[in-house]
Amino acid sequence: MGTGASRNAEGGSHGGEEREESLDQAGGQLYVSLKMENYKKKGDLIPHVYGSVPLVGSWDSSKALSMERESASMWELSFVVPPNHETLDFKFLLKPKYGYMPCVVEEGPNRLLTRGTLQGDARLALFKLDNEEVLEYRVFIKADRVSPFDLAASWRAYQDNLRPSTVRGIPDVSIDAVPESGRENGSAASLELDLEHYVVPAPSTSANSGLVYAANLAENPRSLSLTGVSVDRPATIKEMEVVIPDPSKVYSGFGMVESKSVGTFSPLQKQDSHRGLFVDRGVGSPRLVKSASATTFSFDLKLDTETKNSMPAAAGAVAAAAVADQMLGPKEDRHLAIVLVGLPARGKTFTAAKLTRYLRWLGHDTKHFNVGKYRRLKHGTNQTADFFRADNPEGMEARNEVAALAMDDMTTWMQEGGQVGIFDATNSSRNRRNMLMKMAEGKCKIIFLETICNDERIIERNIRLKIQQSPDYAEEPDFEAGLRDFRNRLANYGKVYEPVEEGSYIKMIDMVSGHGGQIQVNNISGYLPGRIVFFLVNTHLTPRPILLTRHGESCDNVRGRIGGDSVVSDTGEIYAKKLANFVEKRLKSERAASIWTSTLQRTILTASPIVGFPKIQWRALDEINAGVCDGMTYEEIKKNMPEEYESRKKDKLRYRYPRGESYLDVIQRLEPVIIELERQRAPVVVISHQAVLRALYAYFADRPLKEIPHIEVPLHTIIEIQMGVTGVQEKRYKLMD
């Protein structure tokens, strides 16, 4: 719009009678934004605006409105013109910061804004100073019709931001070491002595409520069943023999874990009408990022069907790294096989199940293939220790056969789009590992994960759990007989065990106790292998509870508004006291426990009655950012933003609020929380918000990503997650309706 001003479509000067009529029909009020830009800094002169009713009320320069500094060179002032005042005339002026200088009014006639349209030609704002110097400001004028609803939403946001926080003085890390004397809980906040009184049934799709053998949760063989066996046998180890590399020539030091996360682009898309990179902002709001060199490299960005299928359902760093790996890495590196190595009762299956759960939660298509499950389906569950002897050719052939079958199933699944396969077996000899590497050539990248435990106490515990839970001993009525047989099996494996010294590997040595240990990494690079190493460093088997609960009912909950930073209601205050009583009873012997909250008032206030435990505020635990919809009800979104409402309804997982977040974004920012929860050896109470707790709960319960936005996390309910050697169990307590 010329050299000095800009205006939007509503403010154009050639709207005609039809345009004016549409503005009248639109109703609402006129939202005006005035901006002035000047790169010659005059710090002692502040831009102002003055003019007629209703802007100021008079042409008195002493009542002029000051413009706010938006940047080093830009000043801005926004205001609303009521619908009954169709014409606004005004001028800009410069007022001195100090009173000893006169005001400087812009040259030329008054500026006239009529029914949202700027009258006359656009022009610069010229100011002639006493020394004959002329200052030039570029002027930007924008006028929009705004509905009363939009104004109300903006005012709510303004009030929320302006209102002083009730928790401003509470530090990020605090502890009330001594209970308050005479602390009043009140009858409404008291609890029964027996906490079991408050237990409610968990959803049918919840985390395992009973003891489930982890191997039973692994993938079912494609070509085996309990009723019949039909197997096209892959080549055995003798037919696939390859030269074993000289261990002395394999670098066995600590390899650097190289991160290759490049940029922040999600899966790339191409449209016929545009060339460039599409950055995924969620289902509701795609945005095209133009690239000057897009024409040059657009051909190279075409992803084949297999690549598209193997992209993770993720955002942020995970998506960026996946794109980089797909574009830059070898084709076989697009699929990753984590091959477990170790003697029985060393925690291999537990580690495999945990790693599977973590990678699925991040958005990677991951499956757990347990060779023991294949063996039991093909050869039965009543195999004695003799079956596992190295000098038993029939047993060796049978075990190699099912291992090859499981590997074939895993690589076939990868070719269909799977990303990460966890291959769970002892794989204790170089010959076996050679067979697997030969089968993986050109199909996937193999990383061996060896678990070593030298703690006899932990080994003995794992052996006894094995006898209690493994289907191999389900029909053995004599526990001691089963114990002897398993010890013999363990001895048979120990005689021929060969530690990993070839290829890419991770060695976990005495890591399961959580009391130190050692991890060795060799020839590991790439984003995903690096994340796996980081995760494994922080995991252990120490049993401890994690308590998840939403904040007490907030004032915005009562009003049905999403987001915001409101305080808790009267009902929420009662829940906070009940929660404090619950924590005191449940964790009375766990003085090392801690309380984690978000940085929003409603969680901090809910935690405030809890004493004797450290309280830590996490920004990562804040509720999902609703962007421009913050403070609205869902009915208001449906009425005033129907396209956004429908987009969210179609895909709640990927939908990103305008200027806000999606569930995938929330998962990405919660990864440090998950890592720290895994690392903690003492109980943790997490007081957070519905979307955040849905994502955290989905990790522990191993729920699919698509289910996360629909997981039930009711108010005033505590979800207790028990973590330990037997896996994850869940119990729910409902303290009040």
Side-chain angles (χ1 to χ4, degrees):
M1 178 179 169
T3 59
S6 66
R7 48 191 150 171
N8 69 347
E10 284 191 359
S13 57
H14 303 286
E17 295 180 0
E18 292 182 3
R19 181 63 179 158
E20 292 181 0
E21 183 180 350
S22 66
L23 285 174
D24 288 339
Q25 292 174 349
Q29 296 172 297
L30 196 65
Y31 178 84
V32 180
S33 171
L34 306 178
K35 294 187 179 183
M36 293 176 64
E37 183 179 45
N38 181 286
Y39 289 97
K40 295 180 180 179
K41 296 182 179 179
K42 284 285 184 180
D44 53 346
L45 294 175
I46 310 300
H48 283 64
V49 180
Y50 76 140
S52 65
V53 176
L55 183 59
V56 175
S58 72
W59 286 93
D60 183 352
S61 61
S62 65
K63 298 180 181 179
L65 298 180
S66 174
M67 302 181 77
E68 299 292 332
R69 185 184 289 276
E70 189 176 78
S71 66
S73 60
M74 185 76 76
W75 298 79
E76 193 266 348
L77 175 67
S78 299
F79 53 89
V80 176
V81 180
N84 61 354
H85 195 93
E86 297 183 352
T87 302
L88 172 71
D89 54 331
F90 64 95
K91 295 187 86 169
F92 296 102
L93 75 156
L94 302 179
K95 292 184 71 172
K97 184 182 294 185
Y98 309 103
Y100 56 82
M101 293 176 61
C103 297
V104 184
V105 181
E106 73 165 309
E107 300 291 314
N110 297 344
R111 297 177 185 269
L112 199 62
L113 196 67
T114 302
R115 301 163 67 86
T117 301
L118 184 66
Q119 305 299 313
D121 295 331
R123 69 179 194 269
L124 298 171
L126 303 178
F127 299 90
K128 188 177 292 185
L129 306 183
D130 290 341
N131 58 2
E132 299 303 319
E133 179 185 3
V134 177
L135 290 180
E136 292 185 355
Y137 282 79
R138 292 185 68 198
V139 175
F140 303 87
I141 300 176
K142 184 177 180 181
D144 288 298
R145 289 285 176 181
V146 182
S147 69
F149 159 76
D150 289 330
L151 284 176
S154 299
W155 177 245
R156 280 198 307 273
Y158 173 76
Q159 284 186 314
D160 286 343
N161 292 332
L162 192 66
R163 184 188 303 121
S165 170
T166 60
V167 299
R168 183 70 67 192
I170 299 178
D172 289 350
V173 180
S174 61
I175 181 171
D176 302 319
V178 181
E180 302 167 7
S181 58
R183 180 157 55 100
E184 182 62 45
N185 290 328
S187 58
S190 61
L191 294 178
E192 299 284 343
L193 291 177
D194 185 6
L195 296 182
E196 295 297 314
H197 174 78
Y198 299 95
V199 173
V200 294
S204 58
T205 53
S206 65
N208 304 323
S209 57
L211 300 180
V212 177
Y213 189 52
N216 288 346
L217 302 176
E219 286 303 303
N220 289 316
R222 294 189 174 205
S223 50
L224 296 180
S225 67
L226 288 171
T227 56
V229 178
S230 175
V231 182
D232 293 327
R233 185 180 62 80
T236 63
I237 193 168
K238 292 180 180 179
E239 298 166 320
M240 306 181 65
E241 196 166 10
V242 295
V243 178
I244 300 173
D246 183 355
S248 65
K249 296 181 181 179
V250 178
Y251 176 64
S252 58
F254 291 89
M256 294 297 293
V257 178
E258 178 186 351
S259 176
K260 295 183 180 177
S261 57
V262 180
T264 57
F265 297 112
S266 65
L268 306 177
Q269 304 168 350
K270 185 177 178 183
Q271 291 190 357
D272 295 336
S273 58
H274 297 285
R275 287 182 180 271
L277 297 181
F278 280 86
V279 180
D280 177 19
R281 295 183 61 249
V283 175
S285 311
R287 175 180 294 171
L288 175 65
V289 177
K290 296 283 187 180
S291 171
S293 59
T295 304
T296 305
F297 63 74
S298 61
F299 176 79
D300 295 328
L301 296 181
K302 294 176 67 176
L303 303 180
D304 56 28
T305 303
E306 179 186 339
T307 299
K308 292 178 181 178
N309 289 340
S310 62
M311 297 299 291
V318 170
V323 171
D325 288 346
Q326 303 294 354
M327 292 167 58
L328 304 176
K331 185 174 181 180
E332 59 267 25
D333 285 5
R334 299 175 185 177
H335 309 285
L336 181 62
I338 304 297
V339 177
L340 275 295
V341 177
L343 293 171
R346 263 56 174 186
K348 295 186 303 301
T349 298
F350 175 85
T351 302
K354 207 167 195 177
L355 186 56
T356 300
R357 190 173 76 235
Y358 170 70
L359 294 175
R360 282 176 179 167
W361 182 79
L362 280 183
H364 299 282
D365 190 4
T366 306
K367 285 189 176 182
H368 175 193
F369 295 83
N370 181 270
V371 175
K373 187 173 187 178
Y374 279 69
R375 169 181 54 78
R376 284 185 284 272
L377 286 174
K378 181 166 177 57
H379 299 290
T381 60
N382 56 349
Q383 303 297 329
T384 66
D386 288 341
F387 181 80
F388 301 92
R389 289 195 347 249
D391 58 355
N392 179 353
E394 292 81 7
M396 285 289 292
E397 177 70 15
R399 288 188 286 129
N400 286 330
E401 183 181 30
V402 292
L405 179 62
M407 188 68 177
D408 186 62
D409 277 359
M410 186 173 74
T411 54
T412 299
W413 165 74
M414 287 179 174
Q415 299 309 305
E416 295 169 354
Q419 287 181 271
V420 185
I422 312 293
F423 190 83
D424 179 14
T426 55
N427 301 313
S428 53
S429 70
R430 289 179 186 168
N431 283 347
R432 165 68 72 82
R433 297 194 292 269
N434 258 353
M435 180 188 82
L436 300 179
M437 286 192 289
K438 184 67 174 177
M439 294 185 70
E441 282 183 359
K443 299 177 181 178
C444 63
K445 176 181 179 179
I446 281 186
I447 295 178
F448 293 112
L449 174 56
E450 185 175 14
T451 60
I452 300 172
C453 180
N454 299 306
D455 189 326
E456 293 297 332
R457 180 182 55 84
I458 293 177
I459 295 173
E460 181 64 24
R461 179 195 64 189
N462 290 347
I463 290 174
R464 292 183 173 273
L465 283 172
K466 191 90 169 180
I467 305 304
Q468 293 172 357
Q469 299 180 18
S470 174
D472 285 344
Y473 297 97
E475 298 178 6
E476 175 56 72
D478 187 345
F479 180 84
E480 292 300 324
L483 199 61
R484 286 192 299 272
D485 181 82
F486 188 79
R487 292 189 196 282
N488 290 334
R489 182 196 300 189
L490 192 55
N492 289 334
Y493 274 111
K495 292 174 183 177
V496 294
Y497 183 76
E498 297 173 293
V500 175
E501 294 177 326
E502 68 273 15
S504 300
Y505 63 77
I506 304 166
K507 286 178 183 275
M508 298 176 62
I509 304 172
D510 294 328
M511 293 287 294
V512 295
S513 66
H515 297 279
Q518 185 181 94
I519 190 162
Q520 296 179 4
V521 179
N522 180 69
N523 194 24
I524 299 294
S525 65
Y527 177 83
L528 188 53
R531 300 311 304 164
I532 290 172
V533 171
F534 185 62
F535 176 75
L536 294 173
V537 166
N538 290 282
T539 58
H540 55 85
L541 300 180
T542 305
R544 74 277 190 198
I546 294 173
L547 307 179
L548 307 176
T549 183
R550 289 173 66 184
H551 53 80
E553 180 190 67
S554 69
C555 294
D556 277 344
N557 287 146
V558 175
R559 293 189 288 260
R561 302 199 178 279
I562 64 176
D565 190 20
S566 64
V567 298
V568 295
S569 66
D570 292 342
T571 302
E573 290 182 4
I574 295 175
Y575 177 70
K577 295 175 182 178
K578 283 181 175 286
L579 178 63
N581 280 335
F582 179 91
V583 171
E584 183 179 347
K585 295 175 186 294
R586 176 65 183 84
L587 303 179
K588 60 183 177 182
S589 60
E590 302 280 0
R591 305 321 296 176
S594 57
I595 315 298
W596 296 0
T597 72
S598 73
T599 63
L600 300 177
Q601 293 184 90
R602 51 193 183 273
T603 64
I604 299 172
L605 294 173
T606 301
S608 61
I610 303 174
V611 295
F613 299 99
K615 299 172 188 173
I616 303 166
Q617 297 177 26
W618 285 68
R619 182 67 180 268
L621 291 174
D622 284 3
E623 179 60 298
I624 187 171
N625 183 355
V628 299
C629 299
D630 193 75
M632 298 169 65
T633 67
Y634 289 116
E635 283 300 316
E636 289 172 341
I637 297 173
K638 183 177 182 180
K639 178 181 178 182
N640 296 279
M641 306 173 72
E643 291 183 359
E644 294 293 335
Y645 183 85
E646 289 301 320
S647 294
R648 177 179 177 273
K649 186 177 179 180
K650 289 177 182 176
D651 190 349
K652 287 181 68 176
L653 177 68
R654 293 172 179 81
Y655 171 79
R656 181 175 290 130
Y657 286 100
R659 301 181 188 176
E661 289 182 304
S662 68
Y663 269 92
L664 290 178
D665 294 327
V666 172
I667 289 172
Q668 289 303 300
R669 67 167 155 96
L670 283 176
E671 188 191 9
V673 178
I674 289 295
I675 295 294
E676 190 57 29
L677 285 173
E678 287 286 359
R679 196 184 70 83
Q680 292 283 320
R681 299 201 344 256
V684 177
V685 180
V686 180
I687 304 174
S688 188
H689 310 268
Q690 180 168 249
V692 171
L693 293 178
R694 280 171 169 167
L696 290 178
Y697 175 82
Y699 168 76
F700 294 112
D702 196 15
R703 296 279 288 274
L705 287 179
K706 64 182 180 180
E707 293 183 10
I708 289 180
H710 310 285
I711 293 174
E712 183 182 359
V713 183
L715 283 170
H716 307 152
T717 301
I718 298 167
I719 303 173
E720 179 177 323
I721 303 293
Q722 187 69 41
M723 300 176 64
V725 293
T726 56
V728 177
Q729 287 84 46
E730 173 190 349
K731 182 184 288 187
R732 294 197 176 202
Y733 303 87
K734 190 170 184 62
L735 301 191
M736 55 190 291
D737 294 327

